[in-house]
Amino acid sequence: MPVQAGHPVDYTLKIGDTRVPLNDLVGYALQLDFEGAIRCVHCDRVTKKSFNQGYCYPCFRKLAACDSCIMSPEKCHYHEGTCREPEWGETHCMTEHVVYLANSSGLKVGITRASQVPTRWIDQGAIAAIPMLRVATRQLSGLVEVACKEFVADRTNWRAMLRGDAPELDLDAEKTALLARIQPRLAELRQAYGDDAIREVDEAGLSLSYPVEVWPEKVRTHNLDKTPSVTGVLQGIKGQYLLLDTGVINIRKYTAYQVRLQVFPSS
C-alpha cells in the first residue's frame, strides 16, 4: 500500500491500475476475493506460490532484491564481485543508509535507504522514529545495526503494534544512550571504512498517527491462501495491515495476488 506521512498517515490500495483511497473506507464493510491467480511482480509469470512477497521462484533465485543479504545486510557481498545484479546493487546498496531508532511495539533499531524515510517507519507501524546515523553503504549500516542489537531489539512485535500497545518513549534520550554504548564499535568501523563513512546526525524525529477507529483486543489473521474470500468492517489501517472487525490482513504479503475489492456501507 503506498503511503504518505500525515496525521493520520494516508493510505492507498493498489489493485491493478486502480488506486483506492483507503482512509475514506474506514467504517465501511469490505470484501476481498482472491481470484486464484498470482503473477510475479518482476516478470509477470503466473506462479502457484509467491516468494519473498511477490516473486516467482526463478526470480526469487536470481534477483538481487531477493538475496539473503537483503535480510542480513552485514553479509552484503557486492565488494566480492558476486552481487547477483551489480547495477541494482549500486543503486540500492552502495548508497547512503540511515540507522534509526523507532517505537512500534517498543524500542527497536532499524536501517533503511535514506530515500525511504519515513516510508519504512510507516510500513513498520512506528508511532515515532528518529535518525541516529547516516552511513555510506547498506553493508555498513548492517554492521552498525549488529552492534546496536547487543543493546536494543531489531524486531517489531507485530501483534502488540496492531493492538496499539507501544509505550511512551523518549527517543532522543534513547538515541544518546545507545550511541554512547556503541562508540567503541563505531571507532573500529570508522578506522576500517573511513571517518566520513559513519556520521552521527542531529535530525528531528517524527511522530506518526494512523487511521484507526477501533484497536483489536485480540489479533486474529486472515489468510487468502486458506480462505480466498475475506469480509469485515474496516476499523483501521496500520503498518501494511488492514484491521477488520473479523481479523487483520497483511496486504504486503499478497502483493502479487489478483484480488477483487467490494465496498459496502456497514450495517
Side-chain angles (χ1 to χ4, degrees):
M1 293 184 289
V3 299
Q4 185 173 346
H7 291 286
V9 171
D10 189 52
Y11 283 91
T12 301
L13 180 64
K14 291 175 63 177
I15 300 182
D17 295 328
T18 302
R19 290 176 172 259
V20 180
L22 270 182
N23 290 40
D24 296 341
L25 299 184
V26 174
Y28 283 76
L30 307 184
Q31 181 171 325
L32 275 173
D33 296 302
F34 171 40
E35 298 186 327
I38 304 173
R39 305 193 73 95
C40 175
V41 296
H42 180 74
C43 71
D44 204 39
R45 178 189 284 113
V46 175
T47 175
K48 292 183 179 180
K49 182 179 178 180
S50 169
F51 294 86
N52 200 34
Q53 299 177 339
Y55 296 92
C56 65
Y57 188 70
C59 287
F60 171 71
R61 292 286 295 170
K62 74 179 183 182
L63 295 178
C66 300
D67 205 345
S68 59
C69 54
I70 297 302
M71 294 300 295
S72 301
E74 70 277 8
K75 298 178 182 178
C76 172
H77 47 93
Y78 177 93
H79 60 288
E80 298 176 0
T82 55
C83 181
R84 292 179 177 182
E85 298 174 279
E87 290 185 2
W88 188 94
E90 290 171 9
T91 301
H92 291 78
C93 302
M94 306 305 290
T95 187
E96 185 177 70
H97 278 61
V98 173
V99 182
Y100 62 86
L101 289 178
N103 182 7
S104 48
S105 59
L107 187 67
K108 75 174 292 289
V109 64
I111 68 169
T112 188
R113 293 197 311 275
S115 60
Q116 287 299 103
V117 173
T119 301
R120 177 63 172 161
W121 302 342
I122 295 171
D123 286 349
Q124 294 183 335
I127 59 172
I130 189 169
M132 186 168 64
L133 298 159
R134 287 183 177 263
V135 301
T137 66
R138 181 173 178 82
Q139 182 195 34
L140 189 49
S141 71
L143 293 170
V144 173
E145 185 182 40
V146 168
C148 293
K149 286 192 295 186
E150 293 185 24
F151 308 99
V152 176
D154 68 329
R155 303 286 182 181
T156 296
N157 180 331
W158 63 274
R159 292 182 183 274
M161 180 270 289
L162 292 177
R163 290 195 299 265
D165 284 349
E168 291 289 333
L169 293 174
D170 184 341
L171 290 186
D172 283 301
E174 297 287 357
K175 168 185 167 180
T176 299
L178 182 57
L179 283 172
R181 292 188 180 107
I182 65 171
Q183 281 304 317
R185 180 55 176 153
L186 293 183
E188 294 174 358
L189 292 172
R190 287 189 176 109
Q191 185 173 12
Y193 293 91
D195 288 341
D196 293 337
I198 304 174
R199 296 182 292 112
E200 295 183 21
V201 294
D202 184 18
E203 299 177 13
L206 180 67
S207 296
L208 296 158
S209 61
Y210 296 85
V212 179
E213 289 187 347
V214 180
W215 297 101
E217 294 183 7
K218 184 176 181 180
V219 178
R220 300 181 298 272
T221 58
H222 288 295
N223 186 334
L224 289 178
D225 294 312
K226 296 180 179 179
T227 308
S229 183
V230 169
T231 60
V233 175
L234 181 62
Q235 296 182 323
I237 315 157
K238 192 177 185 190
Q240 284 286 314
Y241 287 83
L242 300 185
L243 281 58
L244 305 173
D245 65 342
T246 56
V248 304
I249 182 167
N250 182 353
I251 292 297
R252 174 160 288 171
K253 178 180 178 180
Y254 303 105
T255 297
Y257 287 52
Q258 292 189 346
V259 301
R260 180 165 53 97
L261 172 67
Q262 297 181 75
V263 181
F264 310 95
S266 61
S267 55

